[in-house]
C-alpha cells in the first residue's frame, strides 16, 4: 500500500505541474472567433497526453514489482483522471466543456497505457543490463 500511495503522490506532483502548464499555454477563446484547431492540439491536448504518459512512468516506477497489469493500472490511472477533472474545474480553455473533458479522459487513458509500456520496457532493459554487468564482473573474478 505504501508503494501505491507513493506512486499517487509522485504522479500528483506531475499532475499539478501539468495543470499549471495547461493554464499558461492554453490559447484563449475569443467569442465569435473561429477556433484554431492546431493551436488547440499542440498547446492543450499534446502536452496533456505527454504529461499523462510521464505520470504513468512516474507511478509505474513505484509499482513495477507488481505481478499483475491490473495492479499497475489501478495504481496509475486515478491521478490522470482526477487531473483531467481538475483541469475542467479550473476552467482551462478546451478542458471545461463536455467534449474537452471526454478528450482529456481519453488522453489520460492513452497516456497511461503509453507510460506503463515505456516504464515496463525500461525496467526490463535495465534489469537485463544489470544481469549482463554482473556476468562480466564474474568473468573478471574468474580470470584473477
Amino acid at each position: 500500500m505504501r508503494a501505491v500511495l507513493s506512486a499517487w503522490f509522485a504522479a500528483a506532483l506531475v499532475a499539478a505541474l501539468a495543470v499549471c502548464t495547461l493554464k499558461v499555454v492554453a490559447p484563449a477563446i475569443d467569442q465569435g472567433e473561429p477556433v484554431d484547431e492546431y493551436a488547440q492540439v499542440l498547446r492543450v491536448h499534446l502536452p496533456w497526453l505527454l504529461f499523462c504518459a510521464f505520470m504513468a512512468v512516474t507511478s509505474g516506477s513505484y509499482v513495477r514489482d507488481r505481478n499483475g497489469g491490473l495492479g499497475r493500472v489501478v495504481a496509475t490511472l486515478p491521478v490522470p483522471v482526477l487531473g483531467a477533472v481538475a483541469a475542467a474545474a479550473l476552467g482551462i480553455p478546451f478542458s471545461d466543456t463536455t467534449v474537452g473533458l471526454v478528450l482529456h479522459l481519453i488522453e489520460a487513458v492513452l497516456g497511461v497505457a503509453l507510460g506503463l509500456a515505456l516504464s515496463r520496457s525500461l525496467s526490463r532493459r535495465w534489469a537485463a543490463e544489470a544481469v549482463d554487468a554482473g556476468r562480466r564482473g564474474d568473468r573478471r573474478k574468474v580470470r584473477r
Side-chain angles (χ1 to χ4, degrees), residues 18 25 43 48 62 78 81 90 96 109 138:
V25 300
R43 294 170 69 186
W48 180 249
Y62 284 98
V81 168
L90 289 175
D96 55 352
V109 171
D138 290 342

Side-chain angles (χ1 to χ4, degrees), residues 45-86:
H45 296 293
L46 183 63
W48 180 249
L49 179 66
L50 294 176
F51 271 114
C52 286
F54 188 59
M55 282 182 240
V57 169
T58 304
S59 299
S61 66
Y62 284 98
V63 292
R64 68 176 175 255
D65 297 334
R66 303 269 189 244
N67 288 333
L70 183 62
R72 288 187 197 107
V73 171
V74 167
T76 57
L77 191 58
V79 176
V81 168
L82 291 175
V85 172

Side-chain angles (χ1 to χ4, degrees), residues 128-143:
E129 287 177 0
V131 168
D132 189 38
R135 288 181 187 159
R136 281 185 280 173
D138 290 342
R139 281 188 235 140
R140 288 182 188 151
K141 289 178 186 175
V142 172
R143 289 183 188 167

